[in-house]
Amino acid sequence: MTPEAAIGLALEMAREPALEMPIAALVIGPGGEVLGRGTNRRDSDADPTAHAEILALREAGSALGDWRLTGCTLVVTLEPCTMCAGAAVLARVERLVFGAFDDKAGAVGGLWDVVRDPRLNHRMEVVAGVREGECSALLADFFRARRG
């Protein structure tokens, strides 16, 4: 699956009107199958770790029966934060694809670059800014509507 197609699947999820925030993540397996999906659910789950990426990684690990997501790709509409970037490293994700950059909390080249830090035991390929305009516009429209 191409990065553009993968972000397209995540954008479809992120456009669901009932979401807390229009952020979605997928874990794509080595064969191109979707192993995990997640959207931000911090408020509804009362869980500070319920970011889209964490939920998608958990579901993928459960689907594989292994915490090691070797050969998998994490796809997310927004640049991961430090928690989510760290979780991707610990899960041994092979590739990270993301759409919009996050200047306030991004940890994949934004404020930090956790996933490519040479001090860590695992680094991954990063494909950044895929369909960035669409991902950014979705978030901008969401926050504009909330502000009224």
Side-chain angles (χ1 to χ4, degrees):
M1 181 178 309
T2 67
E4 291 77 14
I7 285 288
L9 289 176
L11 277 166
E12 285 178 29
M13 289 174 52
R15 287 186 178 115
E16 289 295 318
L19 296 181
E20 290 178 13
M21 295 204 46
I23 299 170
L26 302 166
V27 175
I28 310 291
E33 68 283 14
V34 176
L35 298 173
R37 291 178 169 84
T39 58
N40 278 25
R41 294 195 330 234
R42 291 183 307 174
D43 291 332
S44 58
D45 291 2
D47 179 355
T49 69
H51 288 204
E53 300 94 325
I54 299 297
L55 299 174
L57 291 168
R58 285 179 186 159
E59 192 173 286
S62 182
L64 291 174
D66 195 346
W67 62 267
R68 292 174 199 85
L69 302 181
T70 307
C72 292
T73 299
L74 175 62
V75 179
V76 63
T77 54
L78 180 66
E79 178 182 0
C81 69
T82 53
M83 174 181 68
C84 295
V89 169
L90 293 173
R92 310 297 194 267
V93 167
E94 184 174 310
R95 181 168 72 152
L96 170 67
V97 175
F98 73 87
F101 287 87
D102 186 349
D103 298 334
K104 295 179 182 173
V108 186
L111 292 178
W112 301 279
D113 198 351
V114 172
V115 301
R116 293 176 286 210
D117 189 318
R119 296 170 292 181
L120 297 176
N121 65 339
H122 178 75
R123 281 166 295 291
M124 65 193 67
E125 175 190 353
V126 174
V127 182
V130 178
R131 297 176 71 169
E132 180 181 3
E134 290 174 79
C135 293
S136 295
L138 188 60
L139 285 161
D141 292 347
F142 173 80
F143 285 112
R144 191 175 307 108
R146 284 187 70 170
R147 287 191 293 270

